[in-house]
Amino acid sequence: MSFRILGIESSCDETAAAVVADGLDILSSVVASQTDIHRKYGGVVPEIASREHLRHIVPVVREALKRAGLSFSDLDAIGVTQGPGLAGALLVGVTYAKALALALQKPLIAVNHLEGHVHAVLLEAHRAGKRPRLPAVCLIVSGGHTLLYEVTERDTQGSTAQGFEYRRLGGTRDDAAGEAYDKVAKLLGLGYPGGPIIDQLADSSSNTGSLPSGENGLKFGPTKIKGSPLDFSFSGVKTAVLYHLREHQELAPEIEARRASLAHGERSAAQLKPLCSRQTLDLVTNFQKKVVHELVSRSFAAASQCNVKTILVSGGVAANRELRRAFDNQARLQDIEIYFPSRELSTDNAAMIAAAAFARYSSGDRAESMLNADPNLRLGVR
Ligand code: KG4
Ligand code: ZN
């Protein structure tokens, strides 16, 4: 009989529940996204996020059970995101999971959201009938995080489950990569979230392969970062876009026109493109190239430093097409295996939380009855 874990995730703006068998087979995965609600504010508003989690948590869990064809009594354990994330948002999931575990008399497992993102890649690999070779380097890149870890397998005393250990190799010194996408999109009047729109606009304008330097190009200084060479920085590229716009006031009317268009509701890249000049398309292409280069070069440097042949990439920004292309190209050159999750597993979901909970459960981890949300929870040792 399989071991079925109900995973619960509420760390940011997605209320999610999923049932996963033996840490690898997804029986159901339900995500209630709040993106439409936060869109008009251009980012996640914490108080609104908590309120929406409260509204959605019960129906989302019920739907996950229904889709899995199970009732509460069929569950073997409950896994919940303890952190990192927004305090009020995390509290909704943690409080609900604690109450449920108590009522059902089932074990409760606290999961680090970042460990969940690592498991998202492993779930996807399993779906494709693959098992990534470990140790690996894992890049977690989303709106809230840009982190590099070394992931090693831990002995789980003969169990079939995989247990993992994490060593933090580097992280962003300022903005997360997804945050930079969102901020640049806001500056340019491209809506929220910015990543998917810039992904599509940049791709459609990068047909020549050579980018303008000078007039239409961004002026970047070299990225100098004190400390670890595996740390990231994205505030420079974001500020470069800001300065570019200050210097090129002729772009102001088209930005206003896009904002006016967005005031009527969400706009697709196809709808926004006719409102973008060549200069703007070049600008987003340049911005994206710079961000992708930063992510890819440091990830491969980490793989080389750790002498590993596998890189896992997870988090919302992992959906980016240019990023995937760049990783794949470099991987071919360096004989490294790259694993990405599917789109639904790369953004926040609860299947990855249930999968991580299974690994923790197999290693004997159980949450205390006094479990509390931890907005600053860290993963692994430095
Ligand atoms: O993992 P996620 O759903 O939520 C957290 O931040 O935890 O990631 C959302 C972030 C946003 O910043 C969004 O702009 C970015 O991921 N994103 C992308 C793409 N799709 C989502 N960034 C670049 N290219 C994409 N295709
Ligand atoms: Zn996340």
Side-chain angles (χ1 to χ4, degrees):
M1 253 272 276
S2 58
F3 194 88
R4 292 176 292 215
I5 296 187
L6 170 70
I8 295 173
E9 154 65 33
S10 70
S11 65
C12 189
D13 63 339
E14 264 99 23
T15 320
V19 183
V20 174
D22 294 334
L24 286 172
D25 294 310
I26 304 172
L27 304 185
S28 68
S29 180
V30 178
V31 180
S33 171
Q34 305 171 9
T35 305
D36 286 342
I37 295 165
H38 297 287
R39 180 170 285 124
K40 60 174 170 292
Y41 305 101
V44 178
V45 182
E47 291 78 10
I48 297 177
S50 314
R51 206 172 61 208
E52 288 300 308
H53 285 308
L54 274 172
R55 256 166 30 90
H56 289 297
I57 189 114
V58 172
V60 163
V61 168
R62 287 208 179 122
E63 183 62 22
L65 283 170
K66 192 172 138 199
R67 289 193 198 170
L70 300 173
S71 61
F72 280 118
S73 59
D74 297 320
L75 297 172
D76 295 298
I78 292 152
V80 65
T81 304
Q82 184 189 10
L86 301 170
L90 287 165
L91 205 57
V92 176
V94 168
T95 310
Y96 177 84
K98 271 199 314 195
L100 192 62
L102 191 69
L104 299 173
Q105 290 291 296
K106 309 273 182 191
L108 178 66
I109 305 133
V111 175
N112 187 310
H113 180 83
L114 302 168
E115 185 171 17
H117 276 299
V118 176
H119 279 269
V121 196
L122 303 175
L123 277 171
E124 186 71 36
H126 176 72
R127 282 214 285 221
K130 292 180 182 159
R131 191 175 162 143
R133 222 170 353 148
L134 297 182
V137 158
C138 184
L139 169 70
I140 300 172
V141 60
S142 70
H145 311 282
T146 305
L147 288 158
L148 273 171
Y149 286 98
E150 183 183 24
V151 184
T152 332
E153 214 153 353
R154 170 173 66 182
D155 186 7
T156 45
Q157 285 128 31
S159 154
T160 50
Q162 278 178 296
F164 303 94
E165 268 163 15
Y166 304 90
R167 185 163 68 95
R168 192 182 184 279
L169 301 168
T172 183
R173 292 276 161 142
D174 37 62
D175 293 343
E179 192 181 356
Y181 267 101
D182 294 340
K183 286 179 176 169
V184 162
K186 196 171 182 175
L187 284 173
L188 290 167
L190 294 172
Y192 172 85
I197 290 282
I198 290 181
D199 184 353
Q200 289 173 58
L201 290 176
D203 184 66
S204 54
S205 68
S206 67
N207 46 8
T208 61
S210 67
L211 290 163
S213 54
E215 260 316 274
N216 288 350
L218 276 177
K219 293 185 193 114
F220 295 113
T223 312
K224 279 197 211 120
I225 309 172
K226 282 197 194 119
S228 163
L230 301 181
D231 279 345
F232 302 90
S233 172
F234 297 100
S235 69
V237 62
K238 178 194 67 187
T239 313
V241 172
L242 179 69
Y243 287 166
H244 184 93
L245 295 180
R246 280 195 191 147
E247 277 175 32
H248 294 268
Q249 284 299 322
E250 71 276 15
L251 293 175
E254 63 171 280
I255 294 173
E256 276 319 308
R258 289 192 292 268
R259 287 198 179 127
S261 168
L262 286 163
H264 299 291
E266 192 190 352
R267 290 287 179 263
S268 66
Q271 288 168 314
L272 286 170
K273 197 177 171 201
L275 302 176
C276 296
S277 63
R278 184 82 239 157
Q279 197 181 347
T280 295
L281 295 174
D282 286 346
L283 191 60
V284 293
T285 303
N286 253 331
F287 162 78
Q288 174 158 284
K289 290 228 166 199
K290 182 75 185 168
V291 171
V292 165
H293 177 75
E294 177 85 356
L295 294 170
V296 173
S297 61
R298 295 198 201 275
S299 299
F300 278 89
S304 157
Q305 182 181 301
C306 299
N307 197 21
V308 304
K309 286 287 178 196
T310 313
I311 298 180
L312 317 173
V313 189
S314 190
V317 182
N320 188 273
R321 293 174 302 171
E322 176 71 22
L323 184 77
R324 286 181 180 234
R325 256 196 304 270
F327 263 111
D328 284 340
N329 288 344
Q330 199 60 25
R332 262 193 300 276
L333 292 174
Q334 298 198 18
D335 193 24
I336 280 186
E337 283 183 17
I338 301 280
Y339 290 88
F340 288 99
S342 61
R343 168 122 202 95
E344 85 247 35
L345 283 172
S346 62
T347 53
D348 287 351
N349 66 86
M352 67 184 197
I353 302 303
F358 184 66
R360 294 242 154 240
Y361 181 86
S362 309
S363 323
D365 281 11
R366 305 289 182 274
E368 301 167 10
S369 57
M370 301 298 283
L371 176 71
N372 223 330
D374 184 349
N376 302 312
L377 191 64
R378 292 176 74 93
L379 180 67
V381 286
R382 175 91 183 174

